[in-house]
Amino acid sequence: MIDKIVGSTDEALVDIFPGASIHIGGFSEPASCPNDLLAALVRKGVGDLTIITNDAARGRGYIERMRAEAEQAGPSADFDGVLPLPEWFIPVGVLVETGQVRRAITSAGGELKGGRETAAEGLIRQGVMEVELLSQGTLAERIRAGRVGMPAFYSAVGVGTFTTEGKEVRVFDGRPYVLETALKADFALIAADKADRFGNLTYRGSARTMNAVMAGAATVTIAEVNEIVDPDELDPDRINTPGVYVDRVVLREHRVEVRTS
Amino acid sequence: MTSISPEQYVSVDVTGGAEEPAYPGRSAHVGLTSREMAVRVALEFREGMIVNLGTGLPTTCSEVVRRDLEIFFHSEQGVLGFGEVVHSLKEADPYLINASRQCVSPKPGMSFFDHSDSFALARGGRVDITVIGALQVSEHGDLANCRLKDRPSGLIGGGQDFAFCAKRVIVMMHARTRSGAPKLVTECDLPLTAPGAVDLIVSDVGVFEPGPSGFVLVELAPGISLEEARRCVDAELTVVDPLPTIPIASTDSRTSAPGERR
């Protein structure tokens, strides 16, 4: 019987190795990020990693600043739509802060506010980390290319800017395009809503993001989910990521649920 | 009068959410509030358009449009057609957020997709307008909004895709930095996100268009003098004659029908 469900995040990450390349899904907030897998990765302390992720800038420093701002605003401040971050949430930047990352391919390595630099920026200055800054569309499509077996594609985005320096340019219908190559990784850590033992996944709302793109773009894809259900409970018409792209499934310790009251 | 360069586009977070710019030597607020800037930007929207809203100030734009107008607001992580920002914790759904990670309300016609499809929408030419923050805009319409000076990395977000691919690129920003430096410049000295991309700049002091030589001031903010507006531009400035005042009657825009052009 096929059963991709594993009992713990440690088991899910059993073969993670130093120097591995890892896709990490999500949009820097608890609903869409593989929170538990990330926490386990930090706990394991495996280093020299290449991470491919939407945002490598936000870490504990960012969270502390958010909390300080909220405290300063006071409890009576109007709710501005941004949900308070739970204690257990750690963004991807924490991996950078712990010194586990050698290279990040991401749409955020720094910030646009003056003052303190991010952990990544400090490590770049020390010469111990590299950041390849890419716009999210190029990042997503390069990952998708990795999943679908295309080595490269041409894109008009970024022509004439630092993001495409050194890349091959070719003109189609009078417009210049650059050659962007596929991004495959050793592991993909993603978050989804529901899963069955085949690894079939459904997502909820705006939390699909990079998760559904990264699924299958790695040698081993590991999904953490809010709920594990019997195979006949998932409507085949509603499956967003077919199980063929998923190798391991682990149940979230901290489910992120829609408020009902 | 607005020049449209459909080849180009950009979008990234820049503003940090400050309501008012702190101009040196001036404690009182002058010019438009963020919300009023959003109302002015929204005058460019038409029913049926796909409008991408970048992180920071631009996400305010979904707050001010008339509720009966069917405009599809797009958020980079994979939402098309969301409603307003939710201001009640009880109604907040962590699975329905905008690019600033604010919970928003659902709307009929809304759809979800992944990051790759979200940007295929842009690359495929489906995005009519992107509203984007900026650190600097040059008179050639060059957009710099992803890296500060002398910093080893930056935050590009999805902005570059939209700046290159949206049919129209509207920059929404305070006209000067917090330390008072003009953001409208002859040449950007920050790394470019997209060259020649910007079509229109809506700022707290006025509405500008890049080129053909310097900037053109096309509308002035209420309560701002022409001299004040000039001080926010470090480039040649042409002023349309007669110079209209930005048509913002009040900050309470819900009743002011921003979707109907003056």
Side-chain angles (χ1 to χ4, degrees):
Chain A
M1 190 178 84
I2 294 164
D3 189 0
K4 296 179 178 175
I5 297 159
V6 298
S8 70
T9 48
D10 282 341
E11 200 181 323
L13 297 180
V14 65
D15 47 359
I16 286 259
F17 56 90
S21 55
I22 310 179
H23 290 313
I24 304 175
F27 198 63
S28 309
E29 42 73 48
S32 63
C33 289
N35 310 304
D36 292 350
L37 289 167
L38 193 55
L41 194 55
V42 170
R43 214 164 46 233
K44 278 180 163 299
V46 54
D48 201 23
L49 303 174
T50 293
I51 59 170
I52 300 134
T53 194
N54 193 59
D55 181 347
R58 285 182 170 88
R60 279 194 212 282
Y62 163 78
I63 288 193
E64 279 160 24
R65 205 170 57 238
M66 290 270 289
R67 292 210 174 112
E69 278 172 20
E71 216 161 279
Q72 207 178 358
S76 60
D78 290 341
F79 177 58
D80 66 354
V82 180
L83 287 168
L85 294 171
E87 284 297 322
W88 48 260
F89 175 67
I90 54 169
V92 178
V94 170
L95 264 188
V96 177
E97 289 168 348
T98 55
Q100 289 170 263
V101 179
R102 181 179 49 81
R103 179 171 155 77
I105 304 170
T106 182
S107 78
E111 291 185 2
L112 298 177
K113 291 176 187 170
R116 204 167 63 171
E117 296 189 345
T118 62
E121 287 176 303
L123 294 168
I124 295 168
R125 285 198 191 279
Q126 290 171 39
V128 293
M129 185 180 163
E130 286 171 43
V131 172
E132 182 178 349
L133 205 58
L134 282 180
S135 192
Q136 283 173 29
T138 301
L139 187 62
E141 199 60 18
R142 286 180 65 182
I143 297 165
R144 197 189 79 90
R147 164 157 55 92
V148 303
M150 293 197 309
F153 59 93
Y154 285 99
S155 167
V157 176
V159 173
T161 73
F162 71 95
T163 60
T164 60
E165 253 166 45
K167 291 175 182 173
E168 180 192 317
V169 177
R170 196 169 152 186
V171 175
F172 296 92
D173 296 329
R175 190 178 182 190
Y177 293 75
V178 292
L179 189 67
E180 296 283 2
T181 53
L183 281 172
K184 277 203 84 159
D186 297 313
F187 297 90
L189 310 185
I190 63 169
D193 186 38
K194 291 180 184 170
D196 62 19
R197 64 178 172 82
F198 292 100
N200 291 313
L201 303 178
T202 64
Y203 303 86
R204 190 193 281 259
S206 52
R208 221 177 286 189
T209 75
M210 289 285 187
N211 293 311
V213 185
M214 290 172 171
T219 310
V220 179
T221 296
I222 308 165
E224 67 167 60
V225 298
N226 287 318
E227 199 179 344
I228 291 170
V229 299
D230 288 336
D232 57 0
E233 278 185 50
L234 290 183
D235 178 353
D237 267 339
R238 295 284 170 272
I239 288 167
N240 305 118
T241 294
V244 64
Y245 291 130
V246 179
D247 299 283
R248 294 168 204 159
V249 173
V250 64
L251 190 62
R252 266 183 173 174
E253 187 186 341
H254 305 283
R255 291 172 60 156
V256 180
E257 302 193 63
V258 178
R259 283 152 205 270
T260 49
S261 61
Chain B
M1 154 128 227
T2 301
S3 59
I4 299 174
S5 57
E7 322 312 276
Q8 316 273 25
Y9 147 96
V10 175
S11 127
V12 164
D13 162 16
V14 170
T15 60
E19 251 313 291
E20 288 141 27
Y23 292 162
R26 211 187 255 143
S27 55
H29 170 72
V30 291
L32 301 187
T33 63
S34 302
R35 194 178 174 87
E36 288 168 332
M37 286 160 68
V39 171
R40 176 59 191 86
V41 170
L43 290 173
E44 305 294 319
F45 303 164
R46 298 290 178 276
E47 189 149 55
M49 277 186 172
I50 294 182
V51 178
N52 168 265
L53 300 178
T55 318
L57 267 188
T59 49
T60 326
C61 293
S62 72
E63 295 275 87
V64 301
V65 294
R66 241 171 47 197
R67 288 181 190 190
D68 60 323
L69 278 182
E70 298 197 318
I71 295 164
F72 296 96
F73 288 116
H74 173 254
S75 184
E76 59 196 17
Q77 85 280 21
V79 191
L80 183 62
F82 60 86
E84 300 159 46
V85 172
V86 170
H87 289 285
S88 145
L89 198 54
K90 277 196 298 191
E91 287 164 32
D93 176 355
Y95 291 94
L96 181 45
I97 59 172
N98 66 18
S100 294
R101 296 167 186 81
Q102 292 169 297
C103 298
V104 290
S105 59
K107 221 182 150 183
M110 181 173 71
S111 54
F112 299 122
F113 29 82
D114 68 33
H115 236 100
S116 166
D117 280 340
S118 186
F119 284 89
L121 205 71
R123 230 182 282 106
R126 300 293 200 280
V127 175
D128 294 294
I129 291 178
T130 185
V131 186
I132 191 165
L135 296 166
Q136 285 180 333
V137 178
S138 84
E139 64 179 50
H140 320 289
D142 298 341
L143 175 72
N145 72 353
C146 64
R147 287 179 78 158
L148 293 170
K149 208 167 189 175
D150 304 323
R151 290 279 284 262
S153 192
L155 167 58
I156 193 164
Q160 192 175 47
D161 291 89
F162 297 110
F164 270 83
C165 301
K167 290 176 194 161
R168 204 155 166 246
V169 177
I170 300 177
V171 163
M172 177 179 177
M173 66 175 192
H174 292 114
R176 293 201 270 184
T177 65
R178 282 171 204 216
S179 55
K183 292 175 167 181
L184 296 174
V185 294
T186 310
E187 298 286 347
C188 298
D189 59 3
L190 298 173
L192 293 190
T193 310
V198 177
D199 298 300
L200 191 72
I201 301 114
V202 174
S203 79
D204 50 337
V205 301
V207 179
F208 301 85
E209 287 175 5
S213 163
F215 288 91
V216 183
L217 178 64
V218 293
E219 290 169 30
L220 191 62
I224 294 287
S225 71
L226 187 53
E227 278 319 298
E228 280 171 307
R230 272 188 200 282
R231 281 200 293 272
C232 295
V233 181
D234 188 10
E236 218 178 289
L237 184 69
T238 313
V239 178
V240 295
D241 186 20
L243 179 63
T245 300
I246 295 179
I248 306 293
S250 103
T251 43
D252 181 19
S253 56
R254 282 226 186 289
T255 53
S256 70
E260 288 172 357
R261 200 157 175 113
R262 40 193 179 274

